Structure formats: structure tokens, C-alpha cells
Amino acid sequence: MTELPRLPFDNPDIIGIAPQMLALQKEGPIARVRTAGEDAWLVTRYDEVRTLLADRRLALSNPYPERTTKSAARAFMVALMAGDDHHTEAPRHAQMRALLVPRFSTRRMRLMKARIEQHVDELLDELAASTPPVDLHRALSFPLPTMVVCDLLGVPLADRERFGQWARGTFDQSDNQHSANTFQQVVDYMTELVARKRTEPGDDILSELIADKDHTLSDAEIAHLGNAVLLFGYETTIVRIDLGTLLLLRNPAQRALLAEKPELAPAAVEEILRLGVGGNGSNAIIPRYAHSDITVGDTVIRAGDAVMLAIGAANYDERAYPGADLFDLTREKPKSHMAFGHGARHCIGRTLARIELTAVFERLFRRLPDLRLAVPEESLRWQEHRITGGFDEIPVTF
């Protein structure tokens, strides 16, 4: 019997899709693979991934939970997304979205845009005044999204350093106890913050949820929503700033075009989101479980089967993007990528993330035109043990 391919696949590069993933994509849209916890169906082609992301027969929760073997980090992530119980996932998730989507309204995002741009300008001024080499991750990629989350939740900016440690600890799959301990710190902090907001409200999401006249939410319920915004609201944006910088450094002609025409920043952001797959690609796979039988081509996915939706591979699919591996700011009417997912769980914070990334990349290489890595790219280390992946350091000079 042929041994199943085992995820994660080795990748000789720190950015991009593993060769074995692309080979499976070439063979067909779906393949059986082995993971650390269970065998699963891996879906790699654009059309099939997009269709399945919108298929309500796939969900985060396992209809046969006794079969599940998750790390503590994965379990916390699923619970935050209301996917820990297959009986209640659909209504709980719908309630979460109903409560949070209005908090990310176009009006609020417009109001935050000027504040975000101010944060970026100040961080770049500090970076430019530093003596190189400087760690771009610590100087820009990390502080900006954490500042934005502080603004959203009404949290003191001085606490942003703790946020980073909590997110990394909570989503660390290598140490279940560390993950549990740091997640408890998040819960304790948010619970205390919600209690304080009841007597000292501000212009922030938590205060709005407390004051919502249509819902009678307990402090624990509001804290749960706050935990989700906190832990999901900045780590992936941090990762994208780092990956986007590396992608632009790899593509000097496109970088020069962006510096000349900052109005292309939104297009650059979409390419960064599409191509930003790091390390072995674990940050670009969305896990799901089938709640009933689903047919994909000639394959039948049975109820209870694990399904890995490879959004990263789908975003590199030549069928959807001719010259898919090219970073191209002038793509003509490209298809929508799936960096933010698709369907019922389409990322609530996608507009905010785009505003942050656009603010960074319309400024970064104009402010620091000679920005370059201070170390060989191959010396950078992608953190495979974290669900979100990412780098801890990007040394640069200018």
C-alpha cells in the first residue's frame, strides 16, 4: 500500500508553496494526506477550495469529537471561533458575526484610517532615526497592528507588548501547558477590562457591546468576543507586513514602481495577501470537517472526514492566476484571492487589515528607499510551531 503524503510538506524556500503541494495540485483538485493527528483530504485548486469554503456542510467542529486529536493551541483557536461543539457551532457563530460585523463598519474603518496612517508615520520616523541594522519586525510589523487593536478595544498602548506574548503563547502548538497558561492570562485580562468598561465606557468595541440595547450579554460573553478580536486581530497582520516586505525586496522592479506610484499600494497589498505563504505553508491551510457527504470530482468526502483547504496553493493556481508565482502590481482584474477565507467565515477584519497594510506599503519604500535585509534571507527563521507562523526578527539596513 502506497504511503500517504505527510503534511506539512518540506519547502526549500521561506516564502511560497512547497513543491509537493504544487505537484498534488497538478495531479488533481483533491488528494488524501496524512497529518500529525489524522488522515485528511487536501484540496489545492482554486475553484474547489472556493466552493468548499462556502459549503455549509463543512465546519470547524468535528461531528465525531471523540476522534479529534488537537493541540491546546488549536483547541483554543477553534473555541474562540465558536467551532468547538458541532451541535451549537452554526447558531453561536452566526451570533458572533451579528455582534461583531457592525463594530467593523465602513464608518469606523474610515475614522480609524487617519489614526493608522499617523501610527505608521510615527513608527517610520523612529525607524529612520535609528542606527542600522534595525529589526523591522520589532520596529514596525509588530507595533502597528497591536496599536490598532488597542484603539479598537480601548486598551492602554502600554499593554501591547503583553498582547504579542499572549498571542504567540496561546497559538504555540509545541507546548500545551504554555498555551493554556497564556490563554488564561488573556481571559483574565479581558474579563477585568470588560468590568472596568461597565463603569468607565469609551469609544471602543467593548463599550459598544456593553451598551447594546438589543442584547443582554454577560461580562463573560463580551470578554469572549474581546478575546477573539484581540487574538485574531493583529497577529496575521504582523505576519503579512513581514512577508510583504520580503516579497517587495525580492522584486526590485515592482518595488521601484510602487515607490514611484504609491497609488498602486492597494494592488501591492492584494499581491502580498495572495502570495504571502511562509515556511511549510501551515499559515495557508484552513482545516474543516465534513458534517455530511460531499462529492468533489470523482471523490466522495464522508461525514466526519477532515478536510484541509489549501488557500495558499489555491492562490498560486495557474488556472486562476496566469503567471501565478509572479508578484505583479499591474494584474488586470485578478480573481479574488482567499487570504481572508470565503463564505460564512469570511474574515470580519479584512477591511481593517487592508487599511493597515496599505498605509504601510504606500509609505515604507518611499520613506526608506534603500531598505534591504541586513542578513542573508535564508538565515531568517519561520516559526513553524505557531499556528499563525511568522518571523520573530527581520534585520534590515538602509
Side-chain angles (χ1 to χ4, degrees):
M1 183 169 155
T2 305
E3 180 73 15
L4 291 176
R6 179 176 287 275
L7 283 175
F9 300 144
D10 289 335
N11 191 358
D13 206 346
I14 62 167
I15 304 177
I17 303 298
Q20 190 171 3
M21 182 79 77
L22 293 176
L24 288 176
Q25 184 187 73
K26 187 175 181 180
E27 291 175 10
I30 187 168
R32 195 69 170 160
V33 296
R34 182 150 292 158
T35 72
E38 57 197 338
D39 291 351
W41 294 105
L42 177 68
V43 187
T44 55
R45 290 186 180 176
Y46 181 92
D47 287 342
E48 286 78 7
V49 170
R50 186 177 175 84
T51 297
L52 289 174
L53 279 170
D55 194 322
R56 293 183 181 272
R57 292 172 294 177
L58 283 179
L60 262 177
S61 57
N62 189 343
Y64 303 105
E66 67 278 1
R67 302 179 189 174
T68 302
T69 56
K70 288 191 182 81
S71 66
R74 181 70 62 180
F76 292 139
M77 185 195 77
V78 170
L80 283 169
M81 298 173 73
D84 51 338
D85 187 329
H86 70 287
H87 295 296
T88 62
E89 176 178 358
R92 285 177 59 213
H93 176 246
Q95 183 192 37
M96 280 187 70
R97 290 191 73 89
L99 289 166
L100 288 178
V101 167
R103 317 303 165 195
F104 288 81
S105 65
T106 302
R107 175 183 172 277
R108 173 174 254 136
M109 296 304 100
R110 279 201 301 263
L111 291 173
M112 291 192 70
K113 183 173 182 288
R115 176 76 166 154
I116 289 167
E117 290 173 344
Q118 179 184 345
H119 285 324
V120 173
D121 287 335
E122 291 172 353
L123 290 169
L124 288 177
D125 285 346
E126 292 175 15
L127 176 58
S130 303
T131 301
V134 177
D135 180 5
L136 183 84
H137 178 85
R138 298 295 307 175
L140 176 65
S141 310
F142 173 82
L144 175 65
T146 52
M147 287 174 171
V148 173
V149 168
C150 285
D151 291 341
L152 268 178
L153 294 175
V155 172
L157 283 177
D159 287 342
R160 70 177 188 263
E161 187 69 31
R162 289 197 282 173
F163 289 173
Q165 301 308 316
W166 288 340
R168 291 180 177 183
T170 298
F171 295 143
D172 184 345
Q173 301 187 91
S174 68
D175 188 335
N176 284 342
Q177 190 58 55
H178 179 53
S179 177
N181 290 342
T182 51
F183 182 62
Q184 188 58 52
Q185 288 179 285
V186 175
V187 172
D188 292 344
Y189 181 92
M190 196 59 60
T191 300
E192 180 183 336
L193 183 60
V194 170
R196 190 162 72 244
K197 292 290 181 183
R198 283 203 177 272
T199 57
E200 302 171 18
D203 182 16
D204 55 75
I205 287 177
L206 296 179
S207 297
E208 288 180 10
L209 290 169
I210 290 168
D212 196 316
K213 298 295 189 295
D214 296 325
H215 302 91
T216 305
L217 297 174
S218 68
D219 282 11
E221 290 168 326
I222 295 171
H224 178 89
L225 294 169
N227 292 337
V229 172
L230 172 62
L231 290 173
F232 295 132
Y234 65 93
E235 185 68 17
T236 53
T237 307
I238 292 170
V239 172
R240 294 294 177 173
I241 295 173
D242 284 340
L243 286 171
T245 302
L246 294 177
L247 283 165
L248 283 161
L249 289 175
R250 283 185 169 192
N251 293 274
Q254 297 295 299
R255 184 177 75 243
L257 180 62
L258 177 60
E260 179 187 349
K261 298 182 176 181
E263 64 271 18
L264 288 174
V269 167
E270 298 310 307
E271 284 290 84
I272 288 165
L273 290 166
R274 183 178 70 83
L275 296 171
V277 180
N280 292 340
S282 56
N283 73 313
I285 293 178
I286 294 179
R288 293 287 186 265
Y289 288 97
H291 281 219
S292 58
D293 292 356
I294 304 171
T295 300
V296 178
D298 297 328
T299 300
V300 177
I301 300 171
R302 298 296 182 189
D305 283 357
V307 181
M308 302 292 182
L309 301 174
I311 57 172
N315 286 337
Y316 275 73
D317 189 346
E318 290 280 346
R319 297 161 193 78
Y321 303 99
D325 61 343
L326 298 178
F327 187 98
D328 184 1
L329 302 187
T330 59
R331 286 187 182 274
E332 188 174 352
K333 296 181 179 178
K335 289 192 174 186
S336 299
H337 59 73
M338 285 173 282
F340 294 119
H342 177 64
R345 287 189 175 274
H346 201 191
C347 177
I348 291 171
R350 59 190 181 277
T351 299
L352 181 58
R354 283 185 166 110
I355 290 172
E356 292 177 66
L357 293 168
T358 300
V360 168
F361 290 110
E362 69 186 2
R363 289 165 170 76
L364 178 60
F365 289 99
R366 298 186 79 198
R367 187 72 175 81
L368 298 168
D370 297 322
L371 184 75
R372 60 195 184 277
L373 284 176
V375 297
E377 188 187 75
E378 57 270 21
S379 71
L380 301 177
R381 291 290 174 263
W382 182 262
Q383 304 302 311
E384 297 289 351
H385 61 285
R386 292 202 297 259
I387 291 176
T388 51
F391 301 96
D392 284 340
E393 186 181 28
I394 305 284
V396 296
T397 188
F398 41 86

PDB file of all heavy atoms in Angstrom, residues 110-123:
ATOM      1  N   ARG A 110     -13.201  54.087   8.272  1.00  0.00           N
ATOM      2  CA  ARG A 110     -12.772  55.385   7.733  1.00  0.00           C
ATOM      3  C   ARG A 110     -12.199  56.266   8.834  1.00  0.00           C
ATOM      4  O   ARG A 110     -11.192  56.958   8.648  1.00  0.00           O
ATOM      5  CB  ARG A 110     -13.946  56.090   7.047  1.00  0.00           C
ATOM      6  CG  ARG A 110     -14.226  55.621   5.628  1.00  0.00           C
ATOM      7  CD  ARG A 110     -15.006  56.669   4.852  1.00  0.00           C
ATOM      8  NE  ARG A 110     -16.277  56.985   5.497  1.00  0.00           N
ATOM      9  CZ  ARG A 110     -17.434  56.456   5.166  1.00  0.00           C
ATOM     10  NH1 ARG A 110     -17.500  55.570   4.195  1.00  0.00           N
ATOM     11  NH2 ARG A 110     -18.546  56.815   5.798  1.00  0.00           N
ATOM     12  N   LEU A 111     -12.863  56.252   9.980  1.00  0.00           N
ATOM     13  CA  LEU A 111     -12.381  57.061  11.100  1.00  0.00           C
ATOM     14  C   LEU A 111     -11.020  56.578  11.598  1.00  0.00           C
ATOM     15  O   LEU A 111     -10.181  57.378  12.024  1.00  0.00           O
ATOM     16  CB  LEU A 111     -13.402  57.034  12.241  1.00  0.00           C
ATOM     17  CG  LEU A 111     -14.724  57.761  11.982  1.00  0.00           C
ATOM     18  CD1 LEU A 111     -15.707  57.505  13.113  1.00  0.00           C
ATOM     19  CD2 LEU A 111     -14.491  59.253  11.807  1.00  0.00           C
ATOM     20  N   MET A 112     -10.795  55.258  11.546  1.00  0.00           N
ATOM     21  CA  MET A 112      -9.534  54.701  12.029  1.00  0.00           C
ATOM     22  C   MET A 112      -8.398  54.926  11.046  1.00  0.00           C
ATOM     23  O   MET A 112      -7.218  54.895  11.423  1.00  0.00           O
ATOM     24  CB  MET A 112      -9.694  53.198  12.302  1.00  0.00           C
ATOM     25  CG  MET A 112     -10.586  52.886  13.494  1.00  0.00           C
ATOM     26  SD  MET A 112     -10.475  51.159  13.992  1.00  0.00           S
ATOM     27  CE  MET A 112      -8.799  51.095  14.669  1.00  0.00           C
ATOM     28  N   LYS A 113      -8.711  55.139   9.769  1.00  0.00           N
ATOM     29  CA  LYS A 113      -7.683  55.241   8.739  1.00  0.00           C
ATOM     30  C   LYS A 113      -6.665  56.334   9.057  1.00  0.00           C
ATOM     31  O   LYS A 113      -5.448  56.101   8.966  1.00  0.00           O
ATOM     32  CB  LYS A 113      -8.342  55.500   7.382  1.00  0.00           C
ATOM     33  CG  LYS A 113      -7.378  55.560   6.200  1.00  0.00           C
ATOM     34  CD  LYS A 113      -8.157  55.658   4.899  1.00  0.00           C
ATOM     35  CE  LYS A 113      -7.232  55.666   3.699  1.00  0.00           C
ATOM     36  NZ  LYS A 113      -6.475  56.934   3.569  1.00  0.00           N
ATOM     37  N   ALA A 114      -7.134  57.512   9.427  1.00  0.00           N
ATOM     38  CA  ALA A 114      -6.207  58.610   9.726  1.00  0.00           C
ATOM     39  C   ALA A 114      -5.333  58.264  10.923  1.00  0.00           C
ATOM     40  O   ALA A 114      -4.127  58.578  10.934  1.00  0.00           O
ATOM     41  CB  ALA A 114      -6.984  59.899   9.980  1.00  0.00           C
ATOM     42  N   ARG A 115      -5.910  57.635  11.922  1.00  0.00           N
ATOM     43  CA  ARG A 115      -5.151  57.235  13.114  1.00  0.00           C
ATOM     44  C   ARG A 115      -4.087  56.205  12.746  1.00  0.00           C
ATOM     45  O   ARG A 115      -2.945  56.276  13.217  1.00  0.00           O
ATOM     46  CB  ARG A 115      -6.127  56.660  14.140  1.00  0.00           C
ATOM     47  CG  ARG A 115      -5.494  56.101  15.394  1.00  0.00           C
ATOM     48  CD  ARG A 115      -5.058  57.179  16.334  1.00  0.00           C
ATOM     49  NE  ARG A 115      -4.759  56.644  17.656  1.00  0.00           N
ATOM     50  CZ  ARG A 115      -3.922  57.216  18.492  1.00  0.00           C
ATOM     51  NH1 ARG A 115      -3.312  58.333  18.168  1.00  0.00           N
ATOM     52  NH2 ARG A 115      -3.702  56.679  19.682  1.00  0.00           N
ATOM     53  N   ILE A 116      -4.446  55.263  11.895  1.00  0.00           N
ATOM     54  CA  ILE A 116      -3.496  54.230  11.464  1.00  0.00           C
ATOM     55  C   ILE A 116      -2.354  54.861  10.678  1.00  0.00           C
ATOM     56  O   ILE A 116      -1.177  54.534  10.897  1.00  0.00           O
ATOM     57  CB  ILE A 116      -4.229  53.162  10.624  1.00  0.00           C
ATOM     58  CG1 ILE A 116      -5.153  52.326  11.528  1.00  0.00           C
ATOM     59  CG2 ILE A 116      -3.239  52.265   9.891  1.00  0.00           C
ATOM     60  CD1 ILE A 116      -6.137  51.462  10.763  1.00  0.00           C
ATOM     61  N   GLU A 117      -2.680  55.771   9.782  1.00  0.00           N
ATOM     62  CA  GLU A 117      -1.635  56.430   8.998  1.00  0.00           C
ATOM     63  C   GLU A 117      -0.698  57.226   9.902  1.00  0.00           C
ATOM     64  O   GLU A 117       0.518  57.271   9.669  1.00  0.00           O
ATOM     65  CB  GLU A 117      -2.277  57.326   7.937  1.00  0.00           C
ATOM     66  CG  GLU A 117      -2.970  56.517   6.842  1.00  0.00           C
ATOM     67  CD  GLU A 117      -3.754  57.380   5.876  1.00  0.00           C
ATOM     68  OE1 GLU A 117      -4.025  58.555   6.218  1.00  0.00           O
ATOM     69  OE2 GLU A 117      -4.109  56.887   4.786  1.00  0.00           O
ATOM     70  N   GLN A 118      -1.250  57.834  10.940  1.00  0.00           N
ATOM     71  CA  GLN A 118      -0.407  58.549  11.907  1.00  0.00           C
ATOM     72  C   GLN A 118       0.533  57.581  12.623  1.00  0.00           C
ATOM     73  O   GLN A 118       1.728  57.878  12.801  1.00  0.00           O
ATOM     74  CB  GLN A 118      -1.297  59.273  12.925  1.00  0.00           C
ATOM     75  CG  GLN A 118      -0.516  60.033  13.989  1.00  0.00           C
ATOM     76  CD  GLN A 118      -1.437  60.651  15.031  1.00  0.00           C
ATOM     77  OE1 GLN A 118      -2.635  60.761  14.847  1.00  0.00           O
ATOM     78  NE2 GLN A 118      -0.858  61.056  16.152  1.00  0.00           N
ATOM     79  N   HIS A 119       0.003  56.440  13.046  1.00  0.00           N
ATOM     80  CA  HIS A 119       0.854  55.430  13.681  1.00  0.00           C
ATOM     81  C   HIS A 119       2.006  55.032  12.752  1.00  0.00           C
ATOM     82  O   HIS A 119       3.172  54.931  13.171  1.00  0.00           O
ATOM     83  CB  HIS A 119       0.040  54.177  14.006  1.00  0.00           C
ATOM     84  CG  HIS A 119      -0.869  54.294  15.188  1.00  0.00           C
ATOM     85  ND1 HIS A 119      -0.552  55.014  16.317  1.00  0.00           N
ATOM     86  CD2 HIS A 119      -2.103  53.743  15.424  1.00  0.00           C
ATOM     87  CE1 HIS A 119      -1.534  54.920  17.199  1.00  0.00           C
ATOM     88  NE2 HIS A 119      -2.489  54.156  16.675  1.00  0.00           N
ATOM     89  N   VAL A 120       1.679  54.771  11.480  1.00  0.00           N
ATOM     90  CA  VAL A 120       2.711  54.341  10.523  1.00  0.00           C
ATOM     91  C   VAL A 120       3.770  55.422  10.361  1.00  0.00           C
ATOM     92  O   VAL A 120       4.980  55.140  10.382  1.00  0.00           O
ATOM     93  CB  VAL A 120       2.077  53.992   9.158  1.00  0.00           C
ATOM     94  CG1 VAL A 120       3.161  53.703   8.121  1.00  0.00           C
ATOM     95  CG2 VAL A 120       1.156  52.787   9.292  1.00  0.00           C
ATOM     96  N   ASP A 121       3.345  56.675  10.193  1.00  0.00           N
ATOM     97  CA  ASP A 121       4.312  57.774  10.018  1.00  0.00           C
ATOM     98  C   ASP A 121       5.237  57.886  11.223  1.00  0.00           C
ATOM     99  O   ASP A 121       6.460  58.051  11.067  1.00  0.00           O
ATOM    100  CB  ASP A 121       3.569  59.093   9.797  1.00  0.00           C
ATOM    101  CG  ASP A 121       2.929  59.182   8.416  1.00  0.00           C
ATOM    102  OD1 ASP A 121       3.419  58.514   7.493  1.00  0.00           O
ATOM    103  OD2 ASP A 121       1.920  59.909   8.279  1.00  0.00           O
ATOM    104  N   GLU A 122       4.678  57.792  12.415  1.00  0.00           N
ATOM    105  CA  GLU A 122       5.497  57.891  13.624  1.00  0.00           C
ATOM    106  C   GLU A 122       6.471  56.729  13.741  1.00  0.00           C
ATOM    107  O   GLU A 122       7.643  56.912  14.104  1.00  0.00           O
ATOM    108  CB  GLU A 122       4.589  57.964  14.854  1.00  0.00           C
ATOM    109  CG  GLU A 122       3.810  59.282  14.945  1.00  0.00           C
ATOM    110  CD  GLU A 122       2.774  59.275  16.054  1.00  0.00           C
ATOM    111  OE1 GLU A 122       2.566  58.201  16.681  1.00  0.00           O
ATOM    112  OE2 GLU A 122       2.156  60.334  16.300  1.00  0.00           O
ATOM    113  N   LEU A 123       6.006  55.530  13.438  1.00  0.00           N
ATOM    114  CA  LEU A 123       6.895  54.360  13.519  1.00  0.00           C
ATOM    115  C   LEU A 123       8.003  54.442  12.476  1.00  0.00           C
ATOM    116  O   LEU A 123       9.164  54.102  12.764  1.00  0.00           O
ATOM    117  CB  LEU A 123       6.080  53.076  13.321  1.00  0.00           C
ATOM    118  CG  LEU A 123       5.137  52.709  14.477  1.00  0.00           C
ATOM    119  CD1 LEU A 123       4.197  51.587  14.053  1.00  0.00           C
ATOM    120  CD2 LEU A 123       5.931  52.287  15.718  1.00  0.00           C
TER     121      LEU A 123
END
